[in-house]
Amino acid sequence: MAVIEIQNLTYTYPATSHPALREVSLTVEAGEFVAIIGPNGAGKSTLCYTLAGFIPHFFKGELQGEVRVAGQDIRRVRLEDWVLKVGLVFQNPFNQISGAKFTVYEEIAFGLENIGVPREEMKRRVEEVMALTGIEDLADRSPYALSGGQQQRVALASILVMQPEVLVLDEPTSQLDPIGTREVFQVIRRLAHQGVTIIMAEHKVEWIAEYADRVIALAEGRVIGTGTPADVLTDPRLPDYGIGISRYTAVARRAAGEGLWPAERRLPVTLDEAEAGFRAVEEAHAHLH
Amino acid sequence: MVERLSFYLERSSPLHRLNPTTKLVVAFTLILVAFLGPGLLLPSLIFLLILTPLSFVGQVGREFLRTTVRLLLPLFAFLFVMQSLFYPGGKTVLFGFWIFSVKLEGVRFAFLTATRVLVMVSSFLLLLFTTHPGVLLLDLTQRGLPASVAYILASTLQIIPQMQAKAATILDAQRSRGLDTSGSLGRRIRALLPLVGPLVFGSLVDVEERAIAIEARGFRSSRPKTSLVEIEDRPLERALRWLCLLAIILALGSRLWP
Ligand SMILES: Nc1ncnc2c1ncn2[C@@H]1O[C@H](COP(=O)(O)OP(=O)(O)OP(=O)(O)O)[C@@H](O)[C@H]1O
Ligand SMILES: [Mg+2]
């Protein structure tokens, strides 16, 4: 069942002349983990805002086309209760801090207080999500006195705790080291397996290649590619659009130029695929001698 | 970044466990009685016999006395010098030197004013030392203060240290571009003007982002809110608050019909 259906979405921010999204069409199934890639200014955050209802309910502007999420027309939803369906983790974690709470624990509970979760359940959920995101030791700290990476985990936790059906993440690992990034991707994949639909704007293609079910590439507001990570991330046009590619793809592409990559083989996007490909070349050479 | 956002000192004392509204009411009552009540000694007795012992019950006695003295000593010194020398209508000269004479009425007036201010400042200090601002706001919200007003108050408390940090950053940036912030007062004000733009504009942008942030957490959700912290309110405290009202009426009465 399609949870997200977008048809011919064109959106222009107020007081701007060029649309930030142009004729975007896409569908996402329940429990799918979809990554959105694209250069700076491609419209990734704008798409995230639209799914979360901030466009058109907070940023007015001009919205054309159809956007349906969980069966509802995004124009008709009540933004104040939409958080129960779609949770958004912002690109800048600092902006996610409510400012109303004095400790991380209270900060994570803030959303649950607002939607009226009973106290005992609230505590259970807060503690669960803190364990899940590895921030138990921050419970009594001020949300403002954290490092960027810690704030990013708190921002993620404070949305996860609300258990939305659709989770929209705008570059949720930008301030995390590789270990933190892996933890976040693992948590997200587990949620997808539990049936949560995931949309994640993300630059880190090597991680996307390993974890996402599908990739949508945006450039200048348009969808320029959609498909499995293997298909989209090896598209030779990506560098022209300013989209980074996986180190493994880049190395194999140069090798292919020198005739050092099996001709019939698709370029790799993960380390495993790269290894397999180069091993095949090696064996072929060994055969010749 | 700044970790400490308020005066609050964490202890497990009976005073900390009191309902925040009870403490607020008691603080206001003590202040009103000090200002309205009769007698030269009443405010100082309130300080010595009620506030100071209470601060030790609350396990914040040392901080309470130290902060009170530090805040008020300069003011008191100024008050005593000015009033004892220049109090209008002072007749009873205690002693004189050179062209000055210290008059009894002035000393009495200075003493009364100083001890009243003492009660006012120290009551609030004790309230702030023993009450978490978040809990106070939560309690007021549960008694009908609109959630949006409580939010504004809470976030203001948090934003002050942030604004200070931001101002310092901007100032550093301007200085590193050759801005001179030393010298005469006028020159310094002129130098600080470029600070205003980024600070105000930056804060306005923050407001929009903040609005989205709390929206994303269901702040305006139509469901009835719940709260993480449970605030106790015992019948004894309710009785105490009625008693406070009575004390205020008595103090007012003593003022109107002496
Ligand atoms: N609030 C706004 N008002 C006006 N224009 C905006 C606003 N936010 C974004 N834009 C414009 O919309 C376009 C898409 O921006 P968007 O933030 O969605 O890109 P992005 O893909 O998220 O980029 P990044 O990788 O830098 O986060 C850009 O041209 C941007 O300047
Ligand atoms: Mg963005």
Side-chain angles (χ1 to χ4, degrees), chain A residues 39-46 48 91 170-171 201 203:
Chain A
N40 291 342
K44 302 182 297 295
S45 296
T46 308
C48 293
Q91 181 165 355
D170 196 351
E171 300 187 31
H203 283 295

Side-chain angles (χ1 to χ4, degrees), chain A residues 218-239:
Chain A
L218 287 183
E220 292 166 8
R222 290 179 202 278
V223 175
I224 55 155
T226 168
T228 62
D231 286 340
V232 176
L233 297 177
T234 53
D235 184 334
R237 298 173 303 154
L238 290 191

Side-chain angles (χ1 to χ4, degrees), chain A residues 81 98 101 107 113 117 144, chain B residues 151 158 217 222 226 228:
Chain A
D81 289 316
S98 72
K101 297 295 174 181
E107 175 68 23
E113 294 181 318
V117 172
Y144 284 106
Chain B
Y151 176 78
Q158 311 246 33
R217 308 282 287 286
S222 57
T226 48
L228 175 66

Side-chain angles (χ1 to χ4, degrees), chain A residues 37 205 209 215 217 227-239 243-246 248-250 252-253 261 265-270 273:
Chain A
I37 58 172
V205 284
V215 178
T228 62
D231 286 340
V232 176
L233 297 177
T234 53
D235 184 334
R237 298 173 303 154
L238 290 191
I243 301 176
I245 59 172
S246 149
Y248 312 118
T249 314
R253 184 166 287 151
W261 183 256
R265 217 179 248 265
R266 183 179 49 66
L267 292 178
V269 288
T270 63
E273 290 173 6

